[in-house]
Amino acid sequence: MSELKSPAKEAKERRERFTTASGLPLERLYTEESLAGWDAAEALGYPGEFPYTRGIYPSMYRGRLWTMRQYAGFGSAAESNERYRYLLSRGQSGLSVAFDLPTQIGMDSDHALALGGVGKVGVAIDSLEDMEKLFEGIPLEKVSTSMTINATAAILLCLYLAVARKQNVTFDKVSGTIQNDILKEYIARGTYIYPPKPSMRIITDIFEWCAKEVPKWNTISISGYHIREAGSTAVQEIAFTLSNGKAYVKAALEKGLDINVFGMRY
């Protein structure tokens, strides 16, 4: 019978302090004692119930899979349409449109200041004809479309709905999302056009109109990752994102909108 060996001498740790990418300290070991005073019912809850830590739907993805999209937008509407139809033919269940920077700031492709930016990092959309080419052969009542667009979100949404109308699709059957998160643009990306107050007015107008006319449309997608990519820590990212969300809710409530209505597509 072999003799028991004494535990090996503990190796010296590589550094005195370990942290996350945001500088938060990481302890060597976490146990139940680390959660002293933590109330699971209050802080965790159940799926579909406040505080929604376990998801916003009771059954989550056991009941319905998430929409699968690949973010894409090539130089021209025709090239992007070819890509979208390919992706849909291979099983993708929704579209995610990337627009070029001139489109994001409401600038036509033939504008002198757009030189060098047309069709880069996304598709160029200047007209209803472009939008028709972008979704040619794609039934908008069957496909959910996410559009990463902010300052010109109202314009691109109008063009999208005009295409739906040309396809004889009623607005109540159209589904999708516009990012429409202008506060994040002032903080991180810079693709804003109007001052903050008029921009917030446009956003809440979209809340109000879509709630009545396009009930399946998600009128805003509050973004945090752009803030993180601009140099924030994880804590700052969450702080700014939640602050932006609260500002949108406050603006909508001050407009007299019902949170139980616009909040459903928030």
Side-chain angles (χ1 to χ4, degrees):
M1 189 172 182
S2 61
E3 296 180 2
L4 293 174
K5 295 182 179 180
S6 60
K9 185 178 180 181
E10 184 177 358
K12 184 178 179 181
E13 294 190 352
R14 292 182 292 109
R15 59 176 75 106
E16 291 185 6
R17 186 170 181 265
F18 287 81
T19 66
T20 67
S22 298
L24 301 177
L26 288 171
E27 301 299 332
R28 180 186 297 180
L29 175 68
Y30 290 91
T31 67
E32 291 180 357
E33 295 178 358
S34 304
L35 296 174
W38 187 77
D39 186 338
E42 179 181 347
L44 188 59
Y46 291 92
E49 296 181 8
F50 184 85
Y52 303 105
T53 309
R54 287 175 159 172
I56 60 174
Y57 304 116
S59 63
M60 288 309 292
Y61 300 124
R62 292 172 70 101
R64 177 182 175 183
L65 280 175
W66 58 89
T67 302
M68 300 177 190
R69 320 173 191 270
Q70 183 183 82
Y71 187 49
F74 294 165
S76 71
E79 289 175 300
S80 296
N81 173 263
E82 183 179 353
R83 178 63 174 173
Y84 296 158
R85 292 170 73 168
Y86 170 81
L87 292 171
L88 291 171
S89 72
R90 293 299 185 271
Q92 186 167 287
S93 53
L95 299 174
S96 182
V97 183
F99 298 99
D100 70 359
L101 290 177
T103 301
Q104 292 184 45
I105 57 175
M107 191 175 290
D108 286 335
S109 295
D110 60 359
H111 194 288
L113 293 178
L115 184 65
V118 178
K120 304 289 180 65
V121 307
V123 61
I125 299 295
D126 298 307
S127 64
L128 176 57
E129 182 181 3
D130 287 338
M131 206 67 161
E132 288 177 308
K133 288 180 181 178
L134 189 64
F135 294 102
E136 184 177 352
I138 299 174
L140 298 190
E141 77 277 17
K142 296 180 180 179
V143 174
S144 170
T145 302
S146 173
M147 296 190 283
T148 304
I149 195 72
N150 296 281
T152 53
I155 299 168
L156 272 297
L157 176 58
C158 286
L159 293 176
Y160 187 82
L161 293 174
V163 173
R165 180 167 286 174
K166 284 190 169 236
Q167 292 185 3
N168 294 316
V169 177
T170 55
F171 292 171
D172 62 318
K173 294 181 180 177
V174 175
S175 62
T177 304
I178 43 175
Q179 191 164 84
N180 204 23
D181 179 11
I182 199 64
L183 294 178
K184 169 261 302 175
E185 295 301 316
Y186 299 116
I187 295 168
R189 292 190 68 241
T191 64
Y192 54 85
I193 301 174
Y194 317 109
K197 191 171 182 178
S199 294
M200 293 292 278
R201 166 69 185 276
I202 293 172
I203 288 170
T204 54
D205 282 351
I206 292 172
F207 289 176
E208 183 177 30
W209 188 82
C210 284
K212 299 173 183 175
E213 305 294 337
V214 200
K216 292 183 179 179
W217 196 266
N218 299 314
T219 52
I220 195 167
S221 175
I222 304 168
S223 173
Y225 72 90
H226 282 144
I227 297 171
R228 184 67 186 276
E229 289 179 345
S232 78
T233 66
V235 172
Q236 291 168 337
E237 174 190 3
I238 295 299
F240 275 114
T241 305
L242 291 176
S243 179
N244 289 345
K246 290 172 67 176
Y248 295 128
V249 171
K250 181 181 178 183
L253 292 176
E254 290 176 348
K255 189 181 179 68
L257 303 185
D258 184 352
I259 192 170
N260 293 309
V261 176
F262 75 81
M264 294 291 290
R265 313 307 304 185
Y266 198 88

